[in-house]
Amino acid sequence: MRSDLARLIGGALAMSLLLAAVGLAALWTDRRDRVRHESDVATGGVGARAIPIMTANGCSGCHTIPGVPGAQGQVGPRLDGSLAGRVYIGGVLANNPENLIRWIRSAREINPHTAMPSMRITDQQARDIAAYLYGLR
């Protein structure tokens, strides 16, 4: 009798923990999707297209970027969830989507002394990269 009660309580506790875990996973997924959507809208890009663009243009050689294979570079700043909270881009531009897109495309035209090369990619490709980077928050 006592054993049946213990099993019942144990089962109810296990079910409660499982439901809590599923609920937290759903909230996390919803938040991640919302952040990515907001980043896409703010930049006019599609973050989901950015990884092949960054890989083809060597971003991983200089930056550590979560989600980009091989992106463990130490030359430039780490491009992670903290990017959206930074005050400046490249130390000279206010951090906003349009400036980040400009910086990605034409860093040396903005600051000739930066180690960041001008990427010579299309405006849309820069928007896709910006969407991805802002979506990491």
Side-chain angles (χ1 to χ4, degrees), residues 54-95:
M54 289 189 282
T55 301
N57 286 282
C59 301
S60 59
C62 294
H63 298 280
T64 296
I65 312 167
V68 177
Q72 301 295 320
Q74 301 294 315
V75 176
R78 184 177 172 83
L79 301 177
D80 58 15
S82 68
L83 174 68
R86 293 184 193 156
V87 176
Y88 293 106
I89 296 168
V92 294
L93 297 173
N95 185 359

